[in-house]
Amino acid sequence: RLVSWTGPLAAPVRLYLGLIGGRDHLTVPRTSRLLTKDKAAARQGAQAVLAWPTQRIVLLHNSVLTQTPQAALQQAFKAFD
């Protein structure tokens, strides 16, 4: 679940995340999934990122994932399978 460092996400952020399909979880935005032409290259890049040691994921909209960040990345990158 995505939450802000300072509490619940602001309404505009929740709206934006709802539009891109990631309001309650880490995801590859719909726009990125639709505009990705070379899924094999995206998959290869995702595999490289998954090889990194991950303790937390800090997102642009003032959210941080600390519980099972590696599992969240794996789930998000399934978009390229």
Side-chain angles (χ1 to χ4, degrees), residues 6 8 14 16 44 50 53 69:
T6 58
R14 289 193 316 268
Y16 170 73
Q44 188 176 20
L50 289 171

Side-chain angles (χ1 to χ4, degrees), residues 16 20 27-39 42 77 79-80:
Y16 170 73
I20 67 165
T27 187
V28 175
R30 285 186 180 120
T31 51
S32 296
R33 291 186 304 234
L34 290 171
L35 296 174
T36 299
K37 293 180 181 181
D38 189 346
K39 294 235 183 205
F77 287 148
F80 300 121

